[in-house]
Amino acid sequence: MECEALWQTVLGELELQISKANFTTWFKQTLLISFDQGHATIGVPNVFTQKWLENKYHKEIFRSLQHATNDAVQKITYTIQTKRDVIAPSNPSSSNFSPSVHILPQATETMSVQVEVDPRSNLNPRYIFDTFIVGPSNELVTAACRAVASSPGRQYNPLFIYGGVGLGKTHLMQAVGNAILQMYPGRNVRYITTEQFSQEYLNALQNHKMAEFKSTYRDVDVLIADDVQFLAGKEKTQEEFFHLFNTLYEDNKQIILSSDRLPKMIPTLEDRLRSRFEGGMIADISKPELETRIAILREKSRQKNAAFGDEIYRFIATNVQNNVRELEGALNRVIAHCQLNNRQPTLPDVQNILATMLSSPKKKALAPRMIVEAVSQFYSIETEDITGRSRKKELVTPRQIAMYLMRCEIEASFPTIGRELGGKDHTTAMHAVSKIESEIEKNDSLREEIDLIRQKLYLPA
Ligand code: ADP
Ligand code: MG
């Protein structure tokens, strides 16, 4: 059978097994390049499709090819080549494939799952300095990270990186780990989220494997602990982390930590751990400026084999300002749209695509309860503490913040706010809102905290 006919048979069978959307996304631009002595070579438009087919659909493809060839297939190779590449350039109009750039389908969130994390270091190889765009909002922290990468354990120990959600903390700290491994392949670098650490510790406790647990971590040369704010409220884990920290530190091993806020703002963090965290270099990462956002969009597009006009990058970057993850999300939507329509978007296209995202009626969907929950989660206190009557300062401020957020995020009336907060008087709500309004004028860290809670509120569940 000819390749083309054979492939059509295979596609016909695959189409019945896979949802229409997935089929269109992943198979539309594929072709069978050759089939030779049991070796099938399949052409795909880009590396993402390649990975996706290898990891997700290989079995189905293999089976369908077996059916179509009476079990003659032994091996399948996926390679980047499109039908466009084999169509004679003299007859471009006969091609109905994407005209200028290869565009990857679907969002990176799903794609990044496919990137292989190194099991030893737990690092994602995607996070390197080369793909991290530096601008005024992150140049100091990047310089600190590069310094640590070139002489681990010598200066800036520990390095504590803090900043809001989606601003690149994980990317940067993993870039340090990857750079160290590249320079010194023998080093034992270990990346861990604090939640993972806590989980591993509890498992070890339960399964009587503490000795093993301790020795894996005490052998580490570079410890990268992400999101240490999650140590809050976990006494046992904090204790263990404290000992680990001291052991590594005394051995001049590099420690890198990240958090969404300053050590002193992490509630129920033991003082001794707090002072350890504050003992080295603290660097913050803030929201990127417009030009940096544009540069990030360009870089992300390049990674995804897509390219757009300047006005499109500028439009996206002007309208999506909060964090880089959202920026990527917007770009992914535009890319997915191109993929579906097989053409480059115009500016009005992009305006339409993002309109739903930008004006989504999130505000109305927020229930007062969600605000109470987000605030209590942020400060690691109970929701009852917020709706209760205790006058302790560490409860009063969160309570006032919850009232403030109800006022500005869902425009709740003062009597409603009072009611939601456990039946308080509307004058209490009024007082709370104006108190917070004036506080954030003079207190940057409070404003940042409230921004963080606000961001959390709007994160997709
Ligand atoms: P955080 O850990 O601070 O929540 P991440 O490191 O997970 O944020 O970043 C979210 C996404 O944004 C990642 O895909 C990351 O690659 C990207 N990103 C953030 N900042 C930059 C930057 N300056 N340059 C390139 N990509 C960035
Ligand atoms: Mg992170």
Side-chain angles (χ1 to χ4, degrees):
M1 218 190 300
E2 262 201 28
C3 283
E4 167 107 43
L6 176 56
W7 193 235
Q8 285 310 319
T9 314
V10 171
L11 290 182
E13 185 170 328
L14 286 170
E15 198 170 2
L16 301 175
Q17 301 169 29
I18 297 169
S19 77
K20 185 163 186 329
N22 274 329
F23 182 79
T24 317
T25 306
W26 301 112
F27 290 97
K28 195 161 77 179
Q29 297 189 55
T30 59
L31 77 162
L32 183 62
I33 298 168
S34 64
F35 183 62
D36 188 25
Q37 300 187 350
H39 183 181
T41 305
I42 295 170
V44 297
N46 51 49
V47 68
F48 292 95
T49 309
Q50 181 184 17
K51 292 268 170 276
W52 199 255
L53 294 188
E54 281 169 1
N55 291 305
K56 283 268 181 199
Y57 292 115
H58 180 71
K59 246 194 253 152
E60 285 84 356
I61 296 170
F62 194 85
R63 214 182 305 122
S64 303
L65 257 173
Q66 288 291 46
H67 292 161
T69 61
N70 289 325
D71 294 338
V73 184
Q74 282 153 15
K75 183 176 159 196
I76 300 179
T77 308
Y78 302 88
T79 179
I80 299 175
Q81 178 174 332
T82 48
K83 297 190 195 180
R84 202 163 48 96
D85 299 335
V86 288
I87 284 169
S90 59
N91 190 12
S93 59
S94 73
S95 160
N96 53 0
F97 303 99
S98 70
S100 54
V101 281
H102 300 313
I103 288 164
L104 95 147
Q106 296 301 315
T108 14
E109 271 100 328
T110 33
M111 307 305 311
S112 58
V113 178
Q114 295 298 313
V115 174
E116 264 168 52
V117 168
D118 172 22
R120 206 172 116 84
S121 65
N122 199 25
L123 287 170
N124 184 331
R126 192 165 75 94
Y127 293 133
I128 50 175
F129 284 121
D130 279 353
T131 55
F132 192 79
I133 304 294
V134 182
S137 58
N138 59 26
E139 64 185 328
L140 283 178
V141 65
T142 308
C145 284
R146 284 198 178 265
V148 165
S150 61
S151 55
R154 296 286 181 72
Q155 40 177 339
Y156 306 149
N157 205 15
L159 172 61
F160 188 100
I161 303 173
Y162 80 99
V165 182
L167 297 182
K169 299 183 296 296
T170 299
H171 187 139
L172 257 186
M173 67 197 315
Q174 292 214 20
V176 178
N178 280 316
I180 292 175
L181 275 182
Q182 195 174 23
M183 254 180 306
Y184 318 95
R187 295 276 167 101
N188 187 348
V189 177
R190 184 83 195 157
Y191 166 85
I192 191 111
T193 67
T194 315
E195 288 188 310
Q196 259 171 305
F197 180 82
S198 167
Q199 201 56 50
E200 279 182 26
Y201 166 70
L202 295 175
N203 287 345
L205 258 189
Q206 217 166 32
N207 303 320
H208 309 290
K209 296 219 163 117
M210 277 314 288
E212 218 177 304
F213 174 82
K214 284 185 201 266
S215 78
T216 26
Y217 279 99
R218 309 239 150 137
D219 285 344
V220 159
D221 297 314
V222 179
L223 179 72
I224 305 175
D226 205 351
D227 288 324
V228 295
Q229 74 272 12
F230 290 123
L231 286 171
K234 298 185 176 119
E235 278 171 38
K236 281 261 165 55
T237 309
Q238 283 192 34
E239 169 92 26
E240 190 60 31
F241 195 81
F242 177 74
H243 291 304
L244 174 61
F245 187 104
N246 285 343
T247 313
L248 297 177
Y249 184 79
E250 276 155 24
D251 275 353
N252 294 318
K253 302 297 174 60
Q254 178 69 47
I255 299 162
I256 307 168
L257 308 159
S258 86
S259 165
D260 64 357
R261 59 200 106 157
L262 280 166
K264 68 170 190 290
M265 296 296 176
I266 305 176
T268 72
L269 188 68
E270 280 181 68
D271 283 342
R272 53 182 190 166
L273 204 47
R274 192 190 316 272
S275 66
R276 285 287 184 263
F277 288 178
E278 288 170 343
M281 159 89 166
I282 296 187
D284 78 313
I285 188 165
S286 47
K287 292 183 188 173
E289 309 67 22
L290 179 66
E291 293 307 320
T292 312
R293 296 199 296 276
I294 292 176
I296 292 173
L297 284 172
R298 260 185 232 290
E299 168 59 24
K300 297 289 172 190
S301 303
R302 190 193 59 74
Q303 288 169 27
K304 293 159 201 210
N305 293 319
F308 302 104
D310 282 348
E311 74 289 359
I312 291 191
Y313 291 132
R314 189 163 287 273
F315 177 82
I316 302 175
T318 308
N319 286 284
V320 184
Q321 306 181 348
N322 267 339
N323 72 54
V324 182
R325 205 168 288 148
E326 271 180 25
L327 200 60
E328 269 192 275
L331 179 68
N332 285 334
R333 283 188 189 214
V334 173
I335 291 176
H337 182 269
C338 297
Q339 173 77 18
L340 274 167
N341 296 297
N342 248 332
R343 64 176 171 82
Q344 286 287 67
T346 61
L347 189 56
D349 285 338
V350 175
Q351 287 165 342
N352 274 333
I353 298 166
L354 297 194
T356 43
M357 178 173 173
L358 298 173
S359 67
S360 63
K362 293 173 200 167
K363 296 212 168 182
K364 294 198 192 76
L366 274 185
R369 185 80 209 154
M370 289 157 74
I371 294 180
V372 172
E373 274 163 14
V375 174
S376 61
Q377 204 185 14
F378 187 85
Y379 291 103
S380 296
I381 56 181
E382 303 295 324
T383 53
E384 289 74 30
D385 292 333
I386 291 195
T387 53
R389 304 204 163 261
S390 159
R391 300 297 310 158
K392 281 195 205 148
K393 179 147 184 1
E394 61 270 32
L395 304 180
V396 170
T397 307
R399 188 178 298 143
Q400 291 177 334
I401 290 174
M403 297 194 199
Y404 168 81
L405 283 171
M406 283 184 196
R407 186 69 184 165
C408 48
E409 297 307 302
I410 51 181
E411 290 165 21
S413 69
F414 290 120
T416 307
I417 297 175
R419 203 166 51 240
E420 291 294 337
L421 269 289
K424 299 193 171 53
D425 194 73
H426 75 279
T427 53
T428 308
M430 284 168 71
H431 168 74
V433 172
S434 62
K435 173 90 190 306
I436 297 295
E437 275 170 352
S438 66
E439 275 291 303
I440 54 181
E441 288 303 319
K442 40 189 196 244
N443 183 339
D444 282 348
S445 60
L446 181 70
R447 188 174 49 236
E448 281 169 20
E449 284 176 35
I450 293 177
D451 267 351
L452 283 170
I453 300 171
R454 195 178 268 131
Q455 283 185 38
K456 288 212 165 118
L457 278 172
Y458 292 124
L459 276 181

